[in-house]
Amino acid sequence: MNFDLDQIEDIKKNGIDTETAREILDLDEVHYFEKIMPLAKQLRHEAFGNEVSFCTITNAKSGACIEDCGFCAQSANYKQAPSPVYPLMSTEKILEKAKEAESIGGTEFSIVTSGRGMNKQRELDTIVDAITQIRQQTDLETCASLGLMQREDLQKLKDAGMIHYHHNIETARSYFPNVVTSHSWEEEVETVKLAKEMGFEVCCGGIMGMGENKDQRIEFIFQLKEIDPDSIPLNFLNPRPGTPMAHLHDLTPLDCLKLISVIRLAMPEKELFICGGKEVNLQHYQDKIYDAGASGAMIGNYLTTQGRSPQQELALAEKLGFKPVGPHRKVRSKEDKSKEDKFKVSYA
Ligand code: SF4
C-alpha cells in the first residue's frame, strides 16, 4: 500500500474504494499507525477542525420486543438476557432525562424506544410532546429512534420540530439474515429513505463484530456510503449474556481503529460517532478514536449497557484540544439543503 498525505485531495473528493478498504483492514499495527492513521486524522481535521459532538440517548421504553435482533437483550425471544422492561416514560420524565443530558455536556439528545416501531398513537403523542418541550426548555438538538416508521408518524415528529431521525441498518445486506429474521434489511433502508425524503437529518449506522467477515464489513460501509446518511453511529458488539451473540468477541482494539479509519477515508466529510461497545472493544485505544477519524462520540449510558463517564469523555476531548459543538454543523452550513436528490440507493 502506497498511501501518503499527497493523496489527500483525491481521497477528499472521492473517498477510497473497496479494494483499498480491504488492504487497510489487513494492515499490521505498525503500518496502520504509520500510513493510515495520519491520513484519517488529517481528513477529520479538514472536515471538522477542532470540533467534536457528543450525543446522548435515553431508553424511553425498554424490553419486551417481539423482534429477534441477535445482538439485543431487549428482545423477548431471549428470555435469559437480563434487561430492564418498562413502558414508555412520561413526557415529564423524558424532559428530565434531556435536561440531565444537557447538564453532562450532551449536544444532541435522542429518544429511543424498544420495539419494531410506533404502533400506539398514545405513545407517539407522548414523544411529540416531549420533543416540543425539549426544544422549548433546552438547547439540545432533538432526535428519536423509534424503529420502522410510517410517513404520517414521522410528519408529526417533524411538525414538533425534531431535526434528526436515527435508524440503523445494523450490518451488510448479505449478513443481515444472520442477525435478524423478523424483519428485513430492505425494511430498515425504507425507513431511512423515508426520513431522508422528509428532510430529517438522518443518522444511520450499525454494529461491527457480530460474526460478519471482513468482506461483509466493507460491504456494510459502502452500503452506508450509498445510503448517504448525514451521520454514522458506529457500534462495536458488546455481547450480551443470554443473546445468540453472547459468545462473540471478534474485534481487537486495532480492528476497531482500522474500521473507524476506513469509514473516514471512504466518507471523508461524514459525521462519525463512536457509540456502544467502545469501552470493551477499543480498550487501551479508546483515546485514539479522534485520531482514527471519529468526529464525535456517544456519552452517558447506552441502551442496555453503561458507557465511560461523560466527565472522562469531556476531559479527553479537552486534553486533545477539541471544542464540543452540536452535530451536523457541516450539513446545516450548506446552502443547498435539498438532500432528497442525494438519495440514490441501488439496493433494490
Ligand atoms: S434492536 Fe430494537 S427491534 Fe431489535 S430486538 Fe432490540 S428493541 Fe427490538
Side-chain angles (χ1 to χ4, degrees):
M1 170 169 296
N2 291 315
F3 257 162
D4 57 48
L5 291 169
D6 294 344
Q7 288 170 273
I8 204 156
E9 287 309 316
D10 182 53
I11 297 172
K12 257 164 64 184
K13 212 185 303 168
N14 304 311
I16 55 169
D17 58 17
T18 53
E19 207 176 305
T20 309
R22 177 66 202 221
E23 285 181 53
I24 294 172
L25 294 190
D26 287 338
L27 277 181
D28 63 34
E29 190 157 1
V30 171
H31 286 94
Y32 167 71
F33 277 102
E34 263 179 19
K35 292 174 182 289
I36 302 304
M37 187 180 261
L39 198 55
K41 184 178 176 179
Q42 178 70 18
L43 286 170
R44 197 220 94 87
H45 183 77
E46 299 221 1
F48 302 101
N50 70 338
E51 295 178 345
V52 285
S53 296
F54 294 118
C55 62
T56 57
I57 57 172
T58 193
N59 199 5
K61 174 186 165 191
S62 182
C65 177
I66 56 168
E67 300 296 300
D68 68 353
C69 309
F71 54 86
C72 182
Q74 298 192 73
S75 169
N77 292 279
Y78 314 132
K79 301 205 184 322
Q80 304 305 315
S83 163
V85 178
Y86 52 83
L88 185 66
M89 292 173 181
S90 65
T91 299
E92 294 71 29
K93 186 75 187 165
I94 298 172
L95 178 63
E96 187 187 312
K97 294 278 181 190
K99 287 181 175 175
E100 268 172 34
E102 191 172 42
S103 73
I104 61 168
T107 48
E108 183 191 34
F109 178 74
S110 186
I111 301 167
V112 185
T113 55
S114 63
R116 181 183 173 89
M118 279 280 104
N119 51 12
K120 290 188 189 145
Q121 201 53 49
R122 178 169 43 83
E123 291 189 343
L124 185 67
D125 291 345
T126 300
I127 291 166
V128 166
D129 278 353
I131 298 281
T132 307
Q133 306 255 354
I134 292 166
R135 278 175 51 82
Q136 284 169 356
Q137 297 188 39
T138 75
D139 289 327
L140 291 162
E141 294 190 12
T142 49
C143 178
S145 182
L146 313 174
L148 302 171
M149 292 294 277
Q150 304 296 319
R151 181 181 291 273
E152 53 274 24
D153 292 344
L154 279 174
Q155 189 61 50
K156 286 181 184 161
L157 295 163
K158 194 156 199 299
D159 293 344
M162 195 173 83
I163 300 173
H164 313 282
Y165 192 72
H166 166 267
H167 192 76
N168 281 345
I169 58 169
E170 312 300 6
T171 188
R173 182 186 190 184
S174 69
Y175 192 67
F176 193 87
N178 298 80
V179 177
V180 187
T181 64
S182 52
H183 60 267
S184 68
W185 189 87
E186 286 75 8
E187 285 177 279
E188 310 275 27
V189 176
E190 279 306 321
T191 285
V192 178
K193 178 179 179 180
L194 180 61
K196 276 182 73 82
E197 281 173 357
M198 293 179 68
F200 285 102
E201 288 179 5
V202 170
C203 187
C204 174
I207 308 172
M208 296 283 194
M210 297 195 291
E212 75 284 347
N213 61 32
K214 282 184 189 169
D215 289 337
Q216 286 159 333
R217 287 175 190 164
I218 292 165
E219 180 191 337
F220 166 60
I221 290 169
F222 282 83
Q223 280 165 341
L224 280 176
K225 184 170 178 166
E226 275 190 85
I227 288 170
D228 191 24
D230 296 297
S231 65
I232 299 169
L234 178 63
N235 301 273
F236 301 113
L237 183 73
N238 181 357
R240 297 292 78 213
T243 66
M245 296 188 180
H247 62 290
L248 290 177
H249 298 278
D250 277 3
L251 296 167
T252 65
L254 179 64
D255 289 336
C256 297
L257 287 185
K258 288 195 281 190
L259 286 164
I260 295 170
S261 294
V262 167
I263 295 175
R264 173 57 59 223
L265 268 60
M267 293 170 267
E269 297 208 329
K270 291 287 177 211
E271 293 275 5
L272 173 58
F273 290 92
I274 311 306
C275 304
K278 69 178 181 305
E279 291 82 1
V280 290
N281 286 281
L282 277 148
Q283 300 171 24
H284 54 287
Y285 280 157
Q286 225 182 125
D287 291 359
K288 300 266 184 223
I289 59 170
Y290 302 112
D291 285 352
S295 61
M298 183 178 285
I299 60 172
N301 290 334
Y302 309 118
L303 291 177
T304 59
T305 58
Q306 300 211 319
R308 198 158 68 151
S309 84
Q311 290 77 10
Q312 281 175 294
E313 296 288 353
L314 292 166
L316 169 65
E318 199 179 323
K319 189 177 96 185
L320 298 174
F322 288 122
K323 182 176 95 180
V325 298
H328 311 293
R329 56 244 172 200
K330 285 185 74 67
V331 175
R332 197 153 306 123
S333 68
K334 283 181 188 160
E335 279 178 21
D336 178 13
K337 297 268 290 168
S338 59
K339 288 178 280 155
E340 290 88 338
D341 293 343
K342 292 197 291 176
F343 194 80
K344 296 188 180 80
V345 177
S346 57
Y347 63 88

